[in-house]
Short mmCIF file of all heavy atoms in Angstrom, two decimals:
data_model
loop_
_atom_site.label_atom_id
_atom_site.label_comp_id
_atom_site.label_asym_id
_atom_site.label_seq_id
_atom_site.Cartn_x
_atom_site.Cartn_y
_atom_site.Cartn_z
N ALA A 1177 0.63 -8.90 -2.40
CA ALA A 1177 -0.47 -8.13 -1.84
C ALA A 1177 -1.41 -9.03 -1.04
O ALA A 1177 -1.64 -10.18 -1.41
CB ALA A 1177 -1.25 -7.46 -2.97
N PRO A 1178 -1.96 -8.54 0.07
CA PRO A 1178 -2.91 -9.32 0.85
C PRO A 1178 -4.18 -9.59 0.04
O PRO A 1178 -4.48 -8.88 -0.91
CB PRO A 1178 -3.21 -8.43 2.06
CG PRO A 1178 -2.08 -7.44 2.10
CD PRO A 1178 -1.69 -7.24 0.68
N PRO A 1179 -4.97 -10.60 0.42
CA PRO A 1179 -6.24 -10.85 -0.27
C PRO A 1179 -7.18 -9.64 -0.17
O PRO A 1179 -7.10 -8.85 0.78
CB PRO A 1179 -6.82 -12.06 0.47
CG PRO A 1179 -5.64 -12.70 1.14
CD PRO A 1179 -4.70 -11.59 1.46
N ALA A 1180 -8.08 -9.50 -1.14
CA ALA A 1180 -8.97 -8.35 -1.16
C ALA A 1180 -9.85 -8.29 0.08
O ALA A 1180 -10.24 -7.21 0.53
CB ALA A 1180 -9.83 -8.39 -2.43
N GLN A 1181 -10.21 -9.46 0.64
CA GLN A 1181 -11.10 -9.48 1.80
C GLN A 1181 -10.37 -9.10 3.10
O GLN A 1181 -10.99 -8.77 4.10
CB GLN A 1181 -11.73 -10.88 1.97
CG GLN A 1181 -12.66 -11.28 0.83
CD GLN A 1181 -11.93 -11.67 -0.44
OE1 GLN A 1181 -10.72 -11.93 -0.39
NE2 GLN A 1181 -12.63 -11.70 -1.56
N ASP A 1182 -9.05 -9.18 3.08
CA ASP A 1182 -8.25 -8.88 4.28
C ASP A 1182 -7.98 -7.39 4.35
O ASP A 1182 -6.89 -6.91 4.02
CB ASP A 1182 -6.95 -9.69 4.25
CG ASP A 1182 -6.12 -9.49 5.52
OD1 ASP A 1182 -6.63 -8.87 6.48
OD2 ASP A 1182 -4.95 -9.94 5.54
N ILE A 1183 -8.98 -6.58 4.76
CA ILE A 1183 -8.83 -5.13 4.77
C ILE A 1183 -7.78 -4.70 5.78
O ILE A 1183 -7.06 -3.72 5.55
CB ILE A 1183 -10.19 -4.45 5.05
CG1 ILE A 1183 -10.08 -2.93 4.86
CG2 ILE A 1183 -10.69 -4.80 6.44
CD1 ILE A 1183 -9.75 -2.51 3.46
N GLU A 1184 -7.65 -5.42 6.89
CA GLU A 1184 -6.63 -5.07 7.88
C GLU A 1184 -5.24 -5.29 7.30
O GLU A 1184 -4.33 -4.47 7.49
CB GLU A 1184 -6.81 -5.91 9.15
CG GLU A 1184 -5.86 -5.54 10.28
CD GLU A 1184 -6.02 -4.11 10.76
OE1 GLU A 1184 -7.16 -3.59 10.68
OE2 GLU A 1184 -5.01 -3.50 11.18
N GLY A 1185 -5.06 -6.37 6.55
CA GLY A 1185 -3.77 -6.61 5.91
C GLY A 1185 -3.46 -5.56 4.86
O GLY A 1185 -2.31 -5.15 4.69
N LEU A 1186 -4.49 -5.12 4.15
CA LEU A 1186 -4.30 -4.07 3.15
C LEU A 1186 -3.88 -2.76 3.81
O LEU A 1186 -3.04 -2.03 3.29
CB LEU A 1186 -5.59 -3.88 2.34
CG LEU A 1186 -5.95 -5.01 1.38
CD1 LEU A 1186 -7.34 -4.77 0.78
CD2 LEU A 1186 -4.92 -5.13 0.27
N ARG A 1187 -4.48 -2.46 4.98
CA ARG A 1187 -4.09 -1.25 5.69
C ARG A 1187 -2.62 -1.30 6.10
O ARG A 1187 -1.89 -0.32 5.97
CB ARG A 1187 -4.96 -1.06 6.94
CG ARG A 1187 -6.41 -0.68 6.66
CD ARG A 1187 -7.03 -0.10 7.91
NE ARG A 1187 -8.48 -0.15 7.87
CZ ARG A 1187 -9.24 -1.00 8.55
NH1 ARG A 1187 -8.66 -1.89 9.35
NH2 ARG A 1187 -10.55 -0.97 8.47
N GLU A 1188 -2.19 -2.46 6.64
CA GLU A 1188 -0.79 -2.60 7.05
C GLU A 1188 0.15 -2.42 5.85
O GLU A 1188 1.19 -1.75 5.95
CB GLU A 1188 -0.58 -3.97 7.69
CG GLU A 1188 -1.29 -4.17 9.02
CD GLU A 1188 -0.69 -3.30 10.12
OE1 GLU A 1188 0.43 -2.77 9.93
OE2 GLU A 1188 -1.33 -3.13 11.17
N ALA A 1189 -0.23 -3.00 4.71
CA ALA A 1189 0.60 -2.87 3.52
C ALA A 1189 0.65 -1.42 3.05
O ALA A 1189 1.69 -0.93 2.58
CB ALA A 1189 0.08 -3.78 2.41
N LEU A 1190 -0.47 -0.72 3.16
CA LEU A 1190 -0.51 0.68 2.76
C LEU A 1190 0.41 1.52 3.64
O LEU A 1190 1.14 2.39 3.16
CB LEU A 1190 -1.95 1.21 2.84
CG LEU A 1190 -2.89 0.86 1.68
CD1 LEU A 1190 -4.30 1.32 2.00
CD2 LEU A 1190 -2.40 1.51 0.39
N VAL A 1191 0.35 1.29 4.96
CA VAL A 1191 1.21 2.04 5.87
C VAL A 1191 2.67 1.83 5.51
O VAL A 1191 3.48 2.78 5.49
CB VAL A 1191 0.93 1.63 7.32
CG1 VAL A 1191 1.98 2.23 8.26
CG2 VAL A 1191 -0.45 2.09 7.75
N GLU A 1192 3.04 0.61 5.22
CA GLU A 1192 4.42 0.30 4.89
C GLU A 1192 4.86 1.04 3.62
O GLU A 1192 5.95 1.64 3.56
CB GLU A 1192 4.59 -1.21 4.70
CG GLU A 1192 6.02 -1.62 4.34
CD GLU A 1192 6.14 -3.12 4.11
OE1 GLU A 1192 5.14 -3.84 4.35
OE2 GLU A 1192 7.22 -3.55 3.68
N MET A 1193 4.01 1.01 2.59
CA MET A 1193 4.37 1.67 1.34
C MET A 1193 4.39 3.19 1.49
O MET A 1193 5.25 3.87 0.96
CB MET A 1193 3.39 1.26 0.24
CG MET A 1193 3.66 -0.12 -0.33
SD MET A 1193 2.68 -0.45 -1.81
CE MET A 1193 1.08 -0.69 -1.09
N LEU A 1194 3.43 3.75 2.24
CA LEU A 1194 3.37 5.19 2.42
C LEU A 1194 4.56 5.70 3.22
O LEU A 1194 5.08 6.80 2.96
CB LEU A 1194 2.07 5.59 3.11
CG LEU A 1194 0.78 5.36 2.32
CD1 LEU A 1194 -0.42 5.64 3.21
CD2 LEU A 1194 0.74 6.25 1.09
N ALA A 1195 4.99 4.94 4.21
CA ALA A 1195 6.09 5.38 5.06
C ALA A 1195 7.43 5.33 4.35
O ALA A 1195 8.35 6.08 4.69
CB ALA A 1195 6.15 4.52 6.32
N ASN A 1196 7.54 4.49 3.34
CA ASN A 1196 8.84 4.29 2.69
C ASN A 1196 8.97 5.00 1.35
O ASN A 1196 9.94 4.79 0.63
CB ASN A 1196 9.08 2.78 2.47
CG ASN A 1196 9.19 2.03 3.79
OD1 ASN A 1196 9.64 2.60 4.78
ND2 ASN A 1196 8.77 0.79 3.80
N ASN A 1197 7.98 5.83 1.01
CA ASN A 1197 8.04 6.53 -0.27
C ASN A 1197 7.76 8.00 -0.04
O ASN A 1197 6.74 8.37 0.55
CB ASN A 1197 7.01 5.95 -1.25
CG ASN A 1197 7.38 4.56 -1.72
OD1 ASN A 1197 8.10 4.37 -2.68
ND2 ASN A 1197 6.88 3.54 -1.00
N ALA A 1198 8.64 8.83 -0.51
CA ALA A 1198 8.52 10.28 -0.28
C ALA A 1198 7.41 10.90 -1.11
O ALA A 1198 6.80 11.87 -0.70
CB ALA A 1198 9.85 10.97 -0.59
N ASP A 1199 7.13 10.36 -2.28
CA ASP A 1199 6.15 10.98 -3.18
C ASP A 1199 5.31 9.89 -3.81
O ASP A 1199 5.81 9.03 -4.53
CB ASP A 1199 6.88 11.78 -4.27
CG ASP A 1199 5.92 12.65 -5.07
OD1 ASP A 1199 4.70 12.46 -4.91
OD2 ASP A 1199 6.39 13.51 -5.82
N LEU A 1200 4.02 9.93 -3.55
CA LEU A 1200 3.14 8.89 -4.09
C LEU A 1200 3.09 8.91 -5.61
O LEU A 1200 2.86 7.89 -6.25
CB LEU A 1200 1.71 9.08 -3.55
CG LEU A 1200 1.52 8.85 -2.05
CD1 LEU A 1200 0.05 8.92 -1.72
CD2 LEU A 1200 2.07 7.52 -1.62
N GLU A 1201 3.28 10.09 -6.22
CA GLU A 1201 3.18 10.19 -7.66
C GLU A 1201 4.28 9.40 -8.36
O GLU A 1201 4.14 9.00 -9.51
CB GLU A 1201 3.22 11.66 -8.09
CG GLU A 1201 2.02 12.45 -7.59
CD GLU A 1201 2.09 13.90 -8.02
OE1 GLU A 1201 3.11 14.28 -8.65
OE2 GLU A 1201 1.15 14.65 -7.72
N ASN A 1202 5.41 9.18 -7.67
CA ASN A 1202 6.51 8.43 -8.26
C ASN A 1202 6.55 6.98 -7.74
O ASN A 1202 7.54 6.29 -7.93
CB ASN A 1202 7.85 9.12 -7.95
CG ASN A 1202 7.91 10.51 -8.57
OD1 ASN A 1202 7.36 10.74 -9.63
ND2 ASN A 1202 8.58 11.44 -7.87
N LEU A 1203 5.49 6.56 -7.09
CA LEU A 1203 5.44 5.22 -6.53
C LEU A 1203 5.23 4.20 -7.65
O LEU A 1203 4.61 4.51 -8.67
CB LEU A 1203 4.32 5.13 -5.51
CG LEU A 1203 4.35 3.95 -4.53
CD1 LEU A 1203 5.64 3.99 -3.73
CD2 LEU A 1203 3.17 4.03 -3.59
N ASP A 1204 5.69 2.98 -7.47
CA ASP A 1204 5.54 1.96 -8.50
C ASP A 1204 4.09 1.48 -8.57
O ASP A 1204 3.20 2.00 -7.89
CB ASP A 1204 6.50 0.79 -8.25
CG ASP A 1204 6.27 0.14 -6.89
OD1 ASP A 1204 5.17 0.34 -6.33
OD2 ASP A 1204 7.17 -0.55 -6.39
N ALA A 1205 3.85 0.47 -9.42
CA ALA A 1205 2.49 0.03 -9.70
C ALA A 1205 1.83 -0.68 -8.53
O ALA A 1205 0.60 -0.87 -8.55
CB ALA A 1205 2.49 -0.89 -10.93
N ARG A 1206 2.58 -1.06 -7.51
CA ARG A 1206 1.99 -1.85 -6.42
C ARG A 1206 0.89 -1.09 -5.69
O ARG A 1206 -0.16 -1.64 -5.39
CB ARG A 1206 3.08 -2.27 -5.43
CG ARG A 1206 4.04 -3.32 -5.97
CD ARG A 1206 5.15 -3.64 -4.97
NE ARG A 1206 4.59 -4.05 -3.70
CZ ARG A 1206 4.95 -3.53 -2.53
NH1 ARG A 1206 5.86 -2.56 -2.49
NH2 ARG A 1206 4.41 -3.96 -1.41
N LEU A 1207 1.13 0.21 -5.39
CA LEU A 1207 0.13 0.98 -4.66
C LEU A 1207 -1.12 1.18 -5.52
O LEU A 1207 -2.24 1.03 -5.03
CB LEU A 1207 0.70 2.34 -4.25
CG LEU A 1207 -0.29 3.27 -3.53
CD1 LEU A 1207 -0.81 2.63 -2.26
CD2 LEU A 1207 0.36 4.61 -3.23
N ALA A 1208 -0.94 1.51 -6.81
CA ALA A 1208 -2.09 1.71 -7.68
C ALA A 1208 -2.91 0.44 -7.79
O ALA A 1208 -4.15 0.48 -7.79
CB ALA A 1208 -1.62 2.18 -9.06
N ALA A 1209 -2.23 -0.70 -7.89
CA ALA A 1209 -2.94 -1.97 -7.97
C ALA A 1209 -3.68 -2.27 -6.67
O ALA A 1209 -4.80 -2.80 -6.68
CB ALA A 1209 -1.96 -3.09 -8.29
N MET A 1210 -3.08 -1.91 -5.53
CA MET A 1210 -3.75 -2.14 -4.26
C MET A 1210 -4.96 -1.25 -4.09
O MET A 1210 -6.00 -1.67 -3.59
CB MET A 1210 -2.76 -1.91 -3.11
CG MET A 1210 -3.31 -2.30 -1.74
SD MET A 1210 -2.07 -2.17 -0.43
CE MET A 1210 -0.89 -3.41 -0.97
#
């Protein structure tokens, strides 16, 4: 995961996870931790 201060990096990581998962409710712990 990107550093907490790197909000732009967090956005990019979010886009990647959202695009590759059909249902957020079944997503692993990475998104919840982010």
